Amino acid sequence: MPVQMKLDAITLDCPDPLALAAFYQQATGLEPHPKSDADFAGLNREDGLFLGFQRVDGYRPPTWPDQTVPQQLHICFSVEDLDEAEGLLLELGAGKPDHQLDEDRWRVFTDPAGHPFCLVRDQKR
């Protein structure tokens, strides 16, 4: 029988935890953790999932799709409208790599610290 584990937190390394938390807060609507500071910031989801951001001196962003510095982590978010979500994320400071595999189904972006993440068309809505 497998161990029954519940995912409680995802933490991203970055150079500026408060700035990266602000990006994801604006993109997701998650609530900032009240004890966030310049070394470790976080966002809370109603079901208890915590998205954290920790300061790393000398942080090197991933170089996706080139693996000189591997992506380290991959997060996907589902959205109803890929075009609308893309516009909002780019306004918030996300990047969009030239390398895209299937823009009708999903799109790859990078957050302000360089982590790649995907938007996926929500098939359940």
Side-chain angles (χ1 to χ4, degrees), residues 76-83 85 103-107 118-125:
C76 292
F77 298 93
S78 61
V79 296
E80 285 186 48
D81 186 317
L82 286 169
D83 294 328
E103 289 195 77
D104 291 333
R105 293 178 46 206
W106 69 83
R107 297 180 191 166
C118 290
L119 291 186
V120 180
R121 184 179 310 283
D122 188 345
Q123 300 297 319
K124 294 179 265 181
R125 296 182 193 181

Side-chain angles (χ1 to χ4, degrees), residues 61-77:
T63 54
W64 187 90
D66 168 28
Q67 292 295 304
T68 303
V69 179
Q71 67 187 26
Q72 305 159 12
L73 178 72
H74 184 94
I75 302 174
C76 292
F77 298 93

Side-chain angles (χ1 to χ4, degrees), residues 64-66 96-103 106-109:
W64 187 90
D66 168 28
K96 184 178 178 191
D98 292 334
H99 182 75
Q100 298 289 324
L101 297 172
D102 186 351
E103 289 195 77
W106 69 83
R107 297 180 191 166
V108 179
F109 296 89

Side-chain angles (χ1 to χ4, degrees), residues 17-49:
L18 291 172
L20 197 55
F23 169 81
Y24 279 104
Q25 193 277 325
Q26 290 178 308
T28 64
L30 296 176
E31 292 296 318
H33 190 277
K35 294 185 179 179
S36 292
D37 62 33
D39 289 320
F40 192 90
L43 302 173
N44 296 315
R45 196 167 75 181
E46 288 180 11
D47 66 359
L49 182 65

